[in-house]
Amino acid sequence: MQTQSLLLSPPPLLRPTPPLLLPTFRIHTRSGPKPGPIRASPPTTPAPKRETDPKKRVVITGMGLVSVFGNDHNVFYEKLLEGVSGITPIDRFDASKFPTRFAGQIRNFSADGYIDGKNDRRLDDCLRYCLVAGKKALEDANLGADNLSKIDKIRAGVLVGTGMGGLTVFSDGVQALIEKGHRRITPFFIPYAITNMASALLAIDLGLMGPNYSISTACATSNYCFYAAANHIRRGEADVMVAGGTEAAILPIGLGGFVACRALSQRNDDPQTASRPWDKDRDGFVMGEGSGVLVMESLEHAMKRDAPIIAEYLGGAVNCDAYHMTDPRADGLGVSTCIERSLMDAGVSPEEVNYINAHATSTIVGDLAEVNAIKKVFKDTSEIKINATKSMIGHCLGAAGGMEAIATVKACTTGWLHPSINQFNPEPSVEFNTVPNKKQQHEVNVAISNSFGFGGHNSVVVFSAFKP
């Protein structure tokens, strides 16, 4: 996520790293002329090797979401394939005085059957979305109801993050303090506002006693959670991890905050065309909301319980630009390095990747910075297709990577890529097939999904169809 203007002036670009000077050795003999200097040969990079240990291979066995298109991941992907925009005028509150008056707002959300009535009424939407998405993911993994009791819950964890936390309860609490005094602040103010409570409540509800915490790295949050969850499995600390992101920030303070950052599109006359990644006329991102959750599991554990294996998580990486609060590095070094490290972790060569679900927020600076970084890693882009889920659902902030991971897995399993809509006047430097405006059939070999966040946080995860 990047803004259109600088909040702080960025430091000068880092000076190029000087070339590595390898040590020089001289070999002396007892007689005869002394030979010239011999330089050590640089180490050769070993060929990528994928994980083969079933205890360390991580598979996706369930997916769950809450989205502007509903709570069914099949319907969600069908809408994406159709190129439907979920962006509409905001009617949750009076947005008439804001310069941006539209978003990917969820309507008619129901937690029936997933949250009891009392909690459903008092929980922040950020928490409600997580509980529904997490439970639906477990149902999808055949771990709903009584089946969950058949696994070792001490080795099942939850890692669902959020960029903003319980923003509604926080905003209401501040208003209560100002207008009525501290005695009118709800006792749930702190518990529902803090970012770890989504993971905690899902675990409490289901009795999952494995690793449990949240990660908050702005719009990179979900991918950070997937990466950390997979590593818990690979290190033998968990058999199953419920991981992803959740966000509910479409309210006056959330909208106003991003307006103040000058980050949002102001295309109020035509909201459905406002999110237009890589288009010359883009003018900022569009806010979205929801939750996207995966059930990640060791292959060994999944096979033992005869789980429905959907796809495989091959690897991932996270790092930091160390450059600026809101803008990406102009040289793309952070993003390109993160992509390279994710492929190394996955045991995949760049030539094997033929699909990228891009971060692509529709900001002037961010879209091209990501493309430039991709070009550094992938020398031949002729076989790579990239698309932008945010063109239809907006930018779901901490939940964006979770929902885009589901879209990426669906691409791997269906052989269809959803379009990037609103491609009217493409940037000439985007030398990729961006799946403009209409879905395309494409057999995905290896896919990556990118997510980047304020603070320079970069994250990349790698998926493929499952092959025994």
Side-chain angles (χ1 to χ4, degrees):
M1 171 165 71
Q2 294 84 24
T3 57
Q4 311 298 69
S5 63
L6 303 180
L7 301 182
L8 290 176
S9 298
L13 287 178
L14 299 179
R15 291 181 182 140
T17 304
L20 177 65
L21 297 177
L22 297 170
T24 300
F25 303 95
R26 291 183 182 273
I27 300 176
H28 298 276
T29 57
R30 291 183 181 275
S31 60
K34 295 178 180 178
I38 298 175
R39 291 191 179 274
S41 299
T44 57
T45 304
K49 186 177 180 182
R50 296 193 197 183
E51 183 61 67
T52 58
D53 185 346
K55 292 181 179 178
K56 295 182 179 180
R57 286 181 70 180
V58 178
V59 292
I60 310 304
T61 56
M63 303 189 294
L65 57 70
V66 171
S67 81
V68 71
F69 297 135
N71 306 343
D72 182 299
H73 64 72
N74 291 315
V75 173
F76 171 75
Y77 201 62
E78 286 168 9
K79 293 289 188 182
L80 293 181
L81 290 177
E82 291 167 9
V84 175
S85 174
I87 310 305
T88 55
I90 294 169
D91 61 10
R92 183 176 293 161
F93 58 91
D94 181 8
S96 61
K97 294 182 180 179
F98 289 83
T100 295
R101 299 183 288 277
F102 56 90
Q105 176 190 313
I106 293 173
R107 291 176 172 82
N108 305 316
F109 170 72
S110 172
D112 249 7
Y114 295 95
I115 306 174
D116 69 76
K118 183 188 292 186
N119 280 318
D120 195 25
R121 287 189 296 273
R122 67 190 182 195
L123 284 173
D124 191 282
D125 280 348
C126 179
L127 303 177
R128 295 169 76 220
Y129 294 166
C130 169
L131 289 172
V132 172
K135 290 179 180 181
K136 288 185 76 69
L138 287 164
E139 288 177 353
D140 198 44
N142 199 22
L143 286 173
D146 294 339
N147 285 336
L148 193 58
S149 63
K150 298 176 183 177
I151 67 170
D152 183 355
K153 292 186 178 183
I154 292 176
R155 293 185 55 79
V158 184
L159 215 176
V160 179
T162 172
M164 309 288 282
L167 204 55
T168 298
V169 75
F170 186 86
S171 178
D172 290 348
V174 171
Q175 189 171 354
L177 174 66
I178 293 170
E179 294 179 357
K180 301 175 183 178
H182 73 276
R183 294 182 184 277
R184 298 308 300 269
I185 297 174
T186 172
F188 297 103
F189 172 67
I190 295 296
Y192 287 176
I194 55 181
T195 60
N196 65 301
M197 197 51 64
S199 289
L201 288 182
L202 187 58
I204 291 167
D205 210 355
L206 301 174
L208 305 180
M209 297 176 65
N212 187 296
Y213 54 101
S214 69
I215 293 174
S216 185
T217 47
C219 306
T221 291
S222 290
N223 278 6
Y224 268 72
C225 290
F226 295 140
Y227 176 68
N231 287 338
H232 281 299
I233 294 170
R234 287 175 166 177
R235 290 195 298 263
E237 298 162 358
D239 299 321
V240 178
M241 291 293 296
V242 182
T246 185
E247 205 76 89
I250 301 176
L251 62 153
I253 192 66
L255 180 65
F258 283 113
V259 164
C261 288
R262 301 180 185 178
L264 300 181
S265 168
Q266 297 184 16
R267 203 177 297 273
N268 294 294
D269 57 336
D270 194 5
Q272 294 198 336
T273 68
S275 185
R276 49 176 70 193
W278 308 305
D279 189 271
K280 281 184 179 179
D281 299 317
R282 66 194 182 279
D283 69 330
F285 76 83
V286 177
M287 288 183 72
E289 63 180 348
S291 180
V293 174
L294 302 179
V295 176
M296 307 175 76
E297 195 166 349
S298 73
L299 176 59
E300 180 183 67
H301 189 266
M303 293 181 71
K304 278 183 179 178
R305 68 177 190 87
D306 197 24
I309 297 175
I310 301 169
E312 184 165 5
Y313 168 93
L314 297 178
V318 299
N319 73 358
C320 183
D321 277 351
Y323 172 68
H324 185 253
M325 282 202 306
T326 57
D327 285 354
R329 285 180 63 107
D331 61 4
L333 179 62
V335 172
S336 62
T337 302
C338 194
I339 294 173
E340 289 169 347
R341 289 179 178 175
S342 75
L343 299 182
M344 188 181 306
D345 186 56
V348 167
S349 66
E351 293 75 23
E352 294 178 82
V353 176
N354 66 346
Y355 169 54
I356 299 172
N357 187 294
H359 184 58
T361 60
S362 189
T363 59
I364 293 171
V365 176
D367 287 7
L368 294 187
E370 179 181 12
V371 166
N372 291 337
I374 289 170
K375 287 179 182 178
K376 285 187 174 185
V377 179
F378 303 99
K379 305 308 179 187
D380 179 9
T381 62
S382 61
E383 299 301 316
I384 296 177
K385 297 187 181 186
I386 66 176
N387 61 4
T389 307
K390 294 181 183 73
S391 65
M392 288 173 277
I393 65 172
H395 191 351
C396 298
L397 311 175
M403 301 171 84
E404 288 160 15
I406 291 174
T408 304
V409 168
K410 285 287 192 181
C412 292
T413 58
T414 65
W416 284 96
L417 305 184
H418 72 67
S420 306
I421 67 169
N422 303 324
Q423 304 292 285
F424 306 117
N425 189 15
E427 290 276 8
S429 61
V430 182
E431 299 160 349
F432 291 87
N433 179 339
T434 60
V435 198
N437 303 317
K438 189 177 180 181
K439 69 180 181 181
Q440 292 181 16
Q441 202 161 8
H442 186 58
E443 186 176 346
V444 177
N445 182 34
V446 173
I448 68 172
S449 179
N450 295 339
S451 288
F452 317 124
F454 279 2
H457 300 293
N458 303 312
S459 60
V460 181
V461 288
V462 187
F463 298 102
S464 73
F466 174 65
K467 297 174 183 177

